[in-house]
Amino acid sequence: MPVAASDIAVIQSGLMEYEKSWQMQRDIHLEVAEGSRANTLILIEHPSGYTAGRRTDILERPQDGTPVTDVDRGGRITWHGPGQIVGYPIVRLEKRNEVVGFVRTLEDALIKTLADFSISGIQVDGKTGVWIRDQKGERKIAAIGVRVAKGVTMHGFALNVCPDLSYFKQIIPCGIPDSETTSMERELNRKITITEVTPVLQNYMVEALATVSKLSI
């Protein structure tokens, strides 16, 4: 049976270096897999930096020597930085190998969050993440890259609230050459803060995770 939303623990860590948060993920993942910790959602911001998933091509990376952290998630290269909410769901899946379904669940929660701010996010066949599509074209507002080990998820999603989007111009985000990246601030054409968005995102994400998780303790 799916767990109740109240059984998903939430950690809000503020601004944290990526390497430190990755170790925190690994520690929590081990405990969830062992059954000594509840399913957990980490919500965090990172200082500016690039992370590359296992499928990243050398030509997708910055060509000026900017450091890139290689990680053990799916997907390709992306940027993390201030103004972006990064979420790491570390949950025991009810269906251990249903990775695609898990990604769709994350996308649904992100789309609901955007809708509360009058932004119409969509899923796009053949592409992960959440997109905006209108007369101005197609652009990505949230990225997703996950890993499942021992039936427990790690890594997760990044929602662009109000970041400096120029960092995405140094890479080929998610390996899609013609992909434009956007943010909630750009789509709304007004200032918006992490503080405004986090509680809404947390509610929808915890609710969504409860539908695909099972108790780990």
Side-chain angles (χ1 to χ4, degrees), residues 14-15 43-47 49 78-88 141-143 157-165 168 181-182 194 198 201:
L15 191 69
L43 294 175
I44 201 166
E45 275 188 273
H46 291 305
T78 193
W79 173 83
H80 295 311
Q84 182 187 73
I85 303 174
V86 182
Y88 299 125
I141 195 167
F157 61 87
L159 174 62
N160 296 328
V161 178
C162 53
D164 181 349
L165 294 172
F168 288 100
T181 305
T182 190
I194 295 287
T198 297
L201 175 61

Side-chain angles (χ1 to χ4, degrees), residues 158-217:
L159 174 62
N160 296 328
V161 178
C162 53
D164 181 349
L165 294 172
S166 67
Y167 286 101
F168 288 100
K169 298 185 183 300
Q170 296 187 51
I171 60 173
I172 300 177
C174 305
I176 305 173
D178 58 351
S179 173
E180 182 183 352
T181 305
T182 190
S183 66
M184 296 178 69
E185 182 172 87
R186 175 170 289 183
E187 296 301 317
L188 293 170
N189 196 30
R190 69 169 176 84
K191 292 292 185 182
I192 188 170
T193 66
I194 295 287
T195 303
E196 286 180 73
V197 179
T198 297
V200 178
L201 175 61
Q202 177 178 318
N203 287 341
Y204 282 123
M205 194 59 64
V206 166
E207 182 181 74
L209 293 174
T211 68
V212 295
S213 309
K214 68 177 180 180
L215 284 173
S216 56
I217 54 175

Side-chain angles (χ1 to χ4, degrees), residues 25 138 161:
Q25 279 194 74
E138 191 175 272
V161 178

Side-chain angles (χ1 to χ4, degrees), residues 47-52 58 60-70 77-80 166-171:
S48 179
Y50 297 99
T51 68
I58 186 111
E60 297 165 4
R61 297 167 180 260
Q63 301 301 299
D64 61 356
T66 300
V68 175
T69 302
D70 291 288
I77 193 166
T78 193
W79 173 83
H80 295 311
S166 67
Y167 286 101
F168 288 100
K169 298 185 183 300
Q170 296 187 51
I171 60 173

